Amino acid sequence: MTSKYGVANELIAGIDSQASEHNLEARDIQEATLVMLVQALKKQCGVEYVRGLLTYEIDSLGSGDMYEIARGLGHS
């Protein structure tokens, strides 16, 4: 069984080929994807959920492996 991180990694891995195919920079597509995901989560889960998720991720930047800290509130 594939994990949610496995599915997300597959989606992210496809960005490079999509960027090349459309003559775009991969980082620009990654940035646009982040913005669109934030908007989709906001619509589905609400502002406070997204704010908590983003705050946690910002606070965790540079802390090492992305899986090292367990999160509450369903953010895993």
Side-chain angles (χ1 to χ4, degrees):
M1 174 156 59
T2 300
S3 72
K4 60 186 173 184
Y5 291 106
V7 172
N9 281 327
E10 288 177 20
L11 293 170
I12 292 166
I15 288 176
D16 286 339
S17 64
Q18 288 287 319
S20 294
E21 183 178 326
H22 297 286
N23 199 28
L24 297 167
E25 294 290 329
R27 69 171 178 244
D28 291 337
I29 296 174
Q30 291 166 339
E31 182 179 308
T33 302
L34 176 62
V35 170
M36 298 305 294
L37 286 170
V38 167
Q39 293 304 313
L41 279 169
K42 184 174 86 171
K43 184 177 180 179
Q44 184 176 11
C45 302
V47 172
E48 291 306 314
Y49 178 89
V50 176
R51 183 175 285 122
L53 176 63
L54 293 174
T55 298
Y56 173 84
E57 291 301 330
I58 289 168
D59 290 347
S60 297
L61 284 175
S63 67
D65 186 22
M66 69 177 189
Y67 303 108
E68 70 183 18
I69 301 172
R71 293 186 282 189
L73 302 174
H75 307 196
S76 58

